[in-house]
Amino acid sequence: QMKLICKLTIIFLVLGFIWSCESPDSLEPVAGVEGKLFIEGEWPDSIQAVALIVLSSLDPGNLAAGLVSYSTPMLSPSKKSEYFFQLEPGFYFIAGAGLTIDPGVFFAKIDSFMASGNLPIVVLDKTPHLQRAIQLEDQEVIEIDQTILFSE
């Protein structure tokens, strides 16, 4: 009889533990922008890496002031990558950008660059389709494929 009580106690303890564990009903949807980045043409020697940048304001003279996020840099001679930016709802600009220094050096000193406002970044395409203005709503994910065209 003691064995039965021990077994029942263990079963009830295990069941109580399982019921007490909370599991989320679902993951909270996020807002953001996702897509693919394509490179066409030959990489210029002056560009060490390419990334998409997200800006809250578009001031070509001070990109650091509006920089919200950036994609993982693509290194020469890559031609394609995928990206995802998780963003708060709001108004943003997305632009193709080139790093003029080694990405490792850039990320090692990013705080200094941001503080000085002097980023070693150039906006690659001046065409409107690469400086997209987007309005992002709550829990909305916009898909945008971007192509950066280097002259051949």
Side-chain angles (χ1 to χ4, degrees):
Q1 183 164 354
M2 202 55 173
K3 287 184 180 180
L4 179 62
I5 292 173
C6 285
K7 286 181 182 177
L8 287 174
T9 303
I10 290 172
I11 290 172
F12 284 124
L13 285 173
V14 168
L15 288 175
F17 177 74
I18 291 172
W19 280 320
S20 70
C21 293
E22 292 183 31
S23 62
D25 293 332
S26 67
L27 295 175
E28 184 71 26
V30 297
V33 181
E34 68 180 350
K36 295 178 181 69
L37 174 61
F38 301 97
I39 305 292
E40 292 183 8
E42 291 299 315
W43 283 67
D45 293 337
S46 61
I47 302 298
Q48 301 292 312
V50 169
L52 289 179
I53 56 174
V54 177
L55 304 159
S56 58
S57 61
L58 191 58
D59 178 0
N62 187 4
L63 292 176
L67 186 64
V68 175
S69 188
Y70 49 85
S71 65
T72 302
M74 287 175 57
L75 303 175
S76 176
S78 299
K79 296 290 185 182
K80 177 185 170 189
S81 73
E82 295 183 1
Y83 70 91
F84 176 76
F85 296 113
Q86 183 173 337
L87 302 166
E88 296 292 322
F91 189 77
Y92 299 98
F93 297 94
I94 298 179
L99 279 172
T100 58
I101 65 169
D102 180 272
V105 173
F106 174 72
F107 291 112
K109 298 182 177 184
I110 192 164
D111 291 336
S112 299
F113 288 125
M114 293 295 287
S116 72
N118 186 16
L119 297 177
I121 290 177
V122 292
V123 176
L124 294 173
D125 270 298
K126 307 292 190 270
T127 54
H129 75 281
L130 256 177
Q131 291 181 4
R132 291 180 192 250
I134 59 164
Q135 177 68 43
L136 198 58
E137 302 298 328
D138 193 35
Q139 300 180 358
E140 176 183 27
V141 176
I142 298 174
E143 187 169 331
I144 301 174
D145 291 342
Q146 304 268 57
T147 300
I148 293 174
L149 179 61
F150 289 130
S151 55
E152 302 206 42

